[in-house]
C-alpha cells in the first residue's frame, strides 16, 4: 500500500493506493517546514481520518513538499511521518521533483511550475541536473500568479488600465491603496494574495490589454526560466500549475513565437503523480 502526498504551503493532496489502484483521494491543509512548526504539521496530519484504518498497512510514502529543497527539512518531514506511519519506507523530496515526475515521468525534458510562484529545471529522466534560480515573489516569480496579480494591481492604482477594465476591476474588488498596502506589508501569505488577482486576468484574457500584459509576463518567464537551457529548442517544455493550465493558449503562442514547443500541461501535480506511482 502506497501513500502519495503533494504538499504545498496552503493545501496538500493525498492519494492512498493499493496494487496500482487508487483507494482514496483527499485533501488537507498544507504546510512548509520553513515556517510551520513540527507540532502544527503533526496536528494537520493527525486531524485527517481518511488514512487512519490503513496506518499499519502503508508500506511506502512518497512525499513531495514546498520547502523541502534542503536535507534538514527533508529529514524533519521524514521524522514526523515516521512517527505516525511506523511500517512505511518514506521518501521526501521537493515540489520541483513532483513537477518532473508528474509531467515527464521517466523521460528527459524541461519541467516548469507556473502557479502562485514559478520555477523550472532540466530533468534527465532520473534526477534534476540543472535548475533555474528561484527568487520568490519579491524579486522574481516571473509569469506566476503573484507576478501577474502584481502587474494588475500596479496598473489599476497607477491608472494605466483601460477605463472599461478599471471600472470592472473596481466593481469586482472595491479595494483601496491603504487596504492593498496593508495586505502586502502586514499580512501573511502575500504571494497568495497577489495571485488572487490573476483570476481577473483570466476572466478578461480576451481583452487586448490583458493579453498584452500576460504575454509580457510569460515572455519574461521564458527569457529567465527556459532560454537558459541549451537543449530547450530540441525538447518539449512541460508545465504544471493553475496559471499554466488556464493561460495555456497564450503560453503556447509565446513559446512558438520564440521557437519553443509546448509539451504536457497539467493543473495539479497529483494527477501525474498518480500515473507515475500507480502504473502497473
Amino acid at each position: 500500500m502506497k501513500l502519495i502526498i503533494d504538499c504545498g504551503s496552503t493545501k496538500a493532496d493525498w492519494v492512498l493506493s493499493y496494487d496500482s489502484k487508487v483507494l482514496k483521494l483527499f485533501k488537507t491543509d498544507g504546510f512548509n517546514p520553513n515556517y510551520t512548526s513540527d507540532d502544527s504539521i503533526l496536528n494537520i496530519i493527525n486531524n485527517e481520518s481518511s488514512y487512519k484504518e490503513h496506518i499499519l498497512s502503508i508500506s511506502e510514502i512518497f512525499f513531495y513538499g514546498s520547502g523541502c529543497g534542503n536535507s534538514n527539512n527533508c529529514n524533519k518531514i521524514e521524522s514526523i511521518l515516521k512517527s505516525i506511519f511506523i511500517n512505511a519506507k518514506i521518501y521526501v523530496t521537493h515540489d520541483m521533483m513532483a513537477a518532473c515526475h508528474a509531467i515527464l515521468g521517466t523521460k528527459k525534458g524541461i519541467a516548469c511550475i507556473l502557479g502562485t510562484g514559478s520555477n523550472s529545471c532540466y530533468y534527465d529522466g532520473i534526477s534534476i541536473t540543472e535548475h533555474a534560480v528561484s527568487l520568490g515573489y519579491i524579486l522574481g516569480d516571473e509569469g506566476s500568479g503573484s507576478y501577474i496579480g502584481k502587474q494588475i494591481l500596479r496598473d489599476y492604482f497607477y491608472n494605466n488600465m483601460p477605463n472599461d477594465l478599471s471600472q470592472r476591476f473596481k466593481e469586482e474588488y472595491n479595494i483601496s491603496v491603504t487596504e492593498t498596502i496593508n495586505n502586502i506589508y502586514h499580512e501573511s501569505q502575500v504571494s497568495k494574495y497577489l495571485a488572487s488577482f490573476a483570476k481577473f486576468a483570466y476572466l478578461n484574457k480576451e481583452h487586448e490589454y490583458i493579453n498584452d500584459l500576460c504575454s509580457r509576463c510569460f515572455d519574461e518567464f521564458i527569457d529567465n526560466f527556459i532560454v537558459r537551457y541549451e537543449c530547450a529548442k530540441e525538447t518539449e517544455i512541460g508545465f504544471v500549475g493553475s496559471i499554466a493550465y488556464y493561460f495555456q493558449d497564450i503560453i503556447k503562442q509565446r513559446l512558438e513565437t520564440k521557437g519553443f514547443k509546448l509539451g504536457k500541461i497539467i493543473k495539479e501535480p497529483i494527477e501525474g503523480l498518480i500515473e507515475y506511482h500507480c502504473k502497473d
Side-chain angles (χ1 to χ4, degrees), residues 100-101 104-109 122-129 276:
C100 293
H101 287 171
L104 299 167
T106 57
K107 296 188 300 183
K108 297 178 181 179
Y122 180 78
Y123 176 68
D124 67 4
I126 299 173
S127 58
I128 294 171
T129 59
Y276 181 80

Side-chain angles (χ1 to χ4, degrees), residues 11 13 52 54 76 110 112 115-116 121 136 149 151 185 194 206 213 222 244 256 269:
K11 71 175 182 67
D13 290 303
K52 291 292 178 67
H54 303 289
K76 178 190 291 188
I110 295 170
C112 304
T116 301
C121 71
Q151 312 313 308
Y185 290 98
L194 291 171
E206 301 306 320
L213 182 149
I222 293 167
E256 290 178 348

